[in-house]
Amino acid sequence: MTWRDRMYCGSSTDMCAIPDASIDAAICSPPYNQDIDYGVYRDNKPLAEYKAMLAAVFAECERVLKPGGRLVINVAGCERTPYV
């Protein structure tokens, strides 16, 4: 079984099991930093830490995407407050 034939459970800040430039599309729905308790992750980071986490996720997505690949990011609706 290759890396393509598996599901991975982990942080998208480190997708070391996936080779560089190997994926056509990535879909990501990062936390919205709205103080939600996900059990394994508490969604209440200071703003600078939250932005750094997003930057790490997007950099890792860029690394695994093929040239011309697509990154789809689900973002919170405008009715969320505070809106980051």
Side-chain angles (χ1 to χ4, degrees):
M1 192 180 315
T2 71
W3 65 270
R4 294 174 194 208
D5 300 322
R6 299 172 188 238
M7 287 183 66
Y8 298 91
C9 182
S11 173
S12 53
T13 59
D14 179 13
M15 296 185 278
C16 61
I18 300 173
D20 293 355
S22 60
I23 293 176
D24 292 305
I27 301 169
C28 149
S29 181
Y32 299 135
N33 214 34
Q34 295 291 308
D35 198 26
I36 297 170
D37 185 359
Y38 291 99
V40 296
Y41 174 81
R42 186 71 185 187
D43 193 32
N44 63 349
K45 297 183 179 299
L47 185 56
E49 188 177 334
Y50 175 68
K51 287 180 176 181
M53 181 269 302
L54 289 179
V57 169
F58 300 149
E60 190 67 349
C61 288
E62 181 179 30
R63 180 190 68 77
V64 300
L65 283 169
K66 292 178 182 177
R70 300 288 188 252
L71 175 58
V72 178
I73 304 167
N74 183 49
V75 295
C78 292
E79 70 280 352
R80 291 208 181 247
T81 53
Y83 186 71
V84 179

